[in-house]
Amino acid sequence: MFISYNSSKIFFLFILIFSTFMVISSNSWLGCWIGLEMNLLSFIPLISNSNNLFSTEASLKYFLVQSIASINFLFFILMIMIFKNLLMNSFLMVLINFTMLMKMGSVPFHFWFPNMVEGLSWFNNFILMTWQKISPMILMSYYFNMKLMIFMILMNTIIGALGGIKQTSLRKLMAFSSINNLGWMLVALMISENLWLFYLFIYSFMMSIMCFLFNMMNVFFINQLFIINMNTIIKINLLINFLSLGGLPPFLGFFPKWIIINSLMNNNLIFLIFIMIMMSLIILFFYIRIIYSSIMFNYFKMKWFNFNFNGNKMLLINIFSFLSIFMMIICSFFFY
């Protein structure tokens, strides 16, 4: 499976989950900071591997970036306690938002994010792209500047879409896709926390399928999808889940985006939604390019790339793909 289930990994995974709940439930800035530090110090042992230099480099990068963001966060909350001026406090709250954006790898602090994911396993990538975004986003929801938020949403969707076009690494491609989806998550957070939670749940579900598939096939680059000995069912599953992650109707990934589009249209934010939809089309373009190439190109069958899926894994993937297609139709009966 994804990780070796030794006792230390399970312990650090538990602390990782516990620290996020600590940040969410804390009623003071200092408690939030302690939760963020626990989260950082529990994630580093999960990603570091003494046998792999790339993972060691990734853990060092993660530690440096997160510790810089944490120091700034602590400094700004101390400044808020010192200065009681309302104007100064609003400025400091914007700076706190910047530290949270840095923590979750948002534009313009995203440079560490695609470089770091190269050294991680698919399971760690899944945690980084989903669970690790919860704490900073909850802290951002307490106070955010609307104009800054809209600018960050635009930048995330544009950079996330354009940055993934020339990528050959699947992990970097997923990282830029995550940056793009971060823009959608920030919009959902701006509208309501329930909508953000719904979007995060759907996105986590889709990312878990993709990481599970890539981990089982042991692929990390696009050209491996061409030369690997895949059967037709796996290729169809990849197609379905890629299109769902890109947000194409009638797949499940389109459903939360549909609700966000409706909410933005009701608030007359036409330009914002136009840019976001255009960038989603670019995301779909490079997803379809990968799938089209892996289905249409006919390579020689290479024996050393041969792998076997057992029946349980294939059944699980087929069920997930079935949910990706039909859950939107089922959900729309409940919501509309």
Side-chain angles (χ1 to χ4, degrees):
M1 277 297 290
F2 285 147
I3 52 172
S4 54
Y5 288 102
N6 54 21
S7 56
S8 61
K9 287 282 175 76
I10 296 294
F11 171 72
F12 286 122
L13 200 60
F14 170 75
I15 298 294
L16 186 84
I17 295 164
F18 171 76
S19 62
T20 304
F21 287 127
M22 185 177 171
V23 172
I24 293 166
S25 58
S26 178
N27 61 353
S28 70
W29 286 115
L30 195 64
C32 294
W33 177 75
I34 292 165
L36 288 169
E37 288 300 301
M38 284 175 64
N39 185 275
L40 162 64
L41 295 172
S42 59
F43 189 54
I44 285 168
L46 284 174
I47 61 177
S48 62
N49 182 4
S50 57
N51 298 323
N52 188 350
L53 286 174
F54 289 109
S55 68
T56 311
E57 183 192 348
S59 59
L60 187 62
K61 280 178 185 173
Y62 187 76
F63 173 74
L64 286 171
V65 171
Q66 297 292 319
S67 57
I68 289 165
S70 294
I71 289 164
N72 288 330
F73 177 63
L74 185 62
F75 175 72
F76 293 141
I77 58 176
L78 288 171
M79 291 288 281
I80 285 173
M81 291 175 185
I82 294 165
F83 293 102
K84 301 296 181 184
N85 186 0
L86 190 65
L87 186 66
M88 190 67 181
N89 275 10
S90 61
F91 174 68
L92 286 168
M93 291 304 269
V94 169
L95 293 176
I96 284 176
N97 281 349
F98 277 128
T99 61
M100 292 301 107
L101 290 167
M102 190 177 183
K103 272 195 167 291
M104 55 188 163
S106 169
V107 175
F109 314 104
H110 68 288
F111 298 104
W112 63 273
F113 192 62
N115 291 325
M116 191 200 136
V117 295
E118 280 292 285
L120 304 186
S121 67
W122 281 114
F123 177 74
N124 291 329
N125 268 314
F126 169 70
I127 294 174
L128 183 67
M129 291 175 193
T130 54
W131 188 264
Q132 293 298 86
K133 286 184 169 56
I134 296 173
S135 305
M137 283 203 149
I138 289 290
L139 293 181
M140 272 194 77
S141 70
Y142 295 154
Y143 181 89
F144 55 82
N145 188 303
M146 189 64 76
K147 288 179 182 176
L148 173 75
M149 201 76 157
I150 289 171
F151 178 72
M152 286 300 161
I153 288 158
L154 281 169
M155 290 304 293
N156 273 298
T157 48
I158 292 166
I159 300 294
L162 299 179
I165 291 174
K166 292 182 75 176
Q167 298 302 327
T168 55
S169 166
L170 286 169
R171 284 176 292 194
K172 277 190 178 177
L173 198 138
M174 285 292 145
F176 279 107
S177 170
S178 177
I179 291 168
N180 179 268
N181 277 284
L182 187 60
W184 286 88
M185 276 190 228
L186 289 171
V187 176
L189 192 68
M190 201 169 69
I191 296 162
S192 79
E193 279 191 17
N194 288 335
L195 180 56
W196 167 75
L197 201 62
F198 178 63
Y199 191 98
L200 182 74
F201 175 75
I202 299 292
Y203 175 67
S204 303
F205 173 73
M206 292 184 298
M207 276 301 296
S208 66
I209 302 168
M210 297 308 300
C211 292
F212 187 62
L213 263 170
F214 291 144
N215 183 71
M216 284 202 301
M217 291 190 292
N218 198 25
V219 293
F220 297 100
F221 294 91
I222 293 171
N223 60 350
Q224 286 176 288
L225 290 173
F226 307 158
I227 59 180
I228 207 162
N229 182 18
M230 283 197 291
N231 61 34
T232 314
I233 296 168
I234 298 164
K235 288 180 179 178
I236 290 166
N237 280 321
L238 267 176
L239 172 69
I240 290 165
N241 292 307
F242 261 129
L243 293 179
S244 181
L245 192 61
L248 189 77
F251 299 103
L252 181 63
F254 174 67
F255 188 60
K257 290 186 178 182
W258 182 25
I259 300 170
I260 290 168
I261 290 165
N262 274 341
S263 301
L264 290 177
M265 291 291 278
N266 291 336
N267 290 309
N268 291 322
L269 291 165
I270 310 294
F271 176 73
L272 179 64
I273 202 61
F274 173 75
I275 297 293
M276 291 175 75
I277 291 168
M278 288 299 110
M279 294 305 113
S280 289
L281 291 176
I282 295 172
I283 292 272
L284 274 168
F285 161 71
F286 60 73
Y287 283 165
I288 290 167
R289 186 179 61 183
I290 295 164
I291 296 301
Y292 178 80
S293 306
S294 62
I295 290 172
M296 297 301 289
F297 288 1
N298 190 15
Y299 279 74
F300 291 112
K301 191 178 284 189
M302 296 190 181
K303 289 183 179 178
W304 57 82
F305 276 116
N306 194 21
F307 60 94
N308 292 311
F309 285 89
N310 62 37
N312 292 334
K313 287 180 180 177
M314 276 308 299
L315 180 65
L316 190 66
I317 289 168
N318 289 333
I319 290 167
F320 283 165
S321 299
F322 177 81
L323 289 173
S324 289
I325 298 172
F326 291 104
M327 269 309 280
M328 182 189 161
I329 300 162
I330 296 163
C331 287
S332 39
F333 286 123
F334 291 107
F335 282 85
Y336 287 92

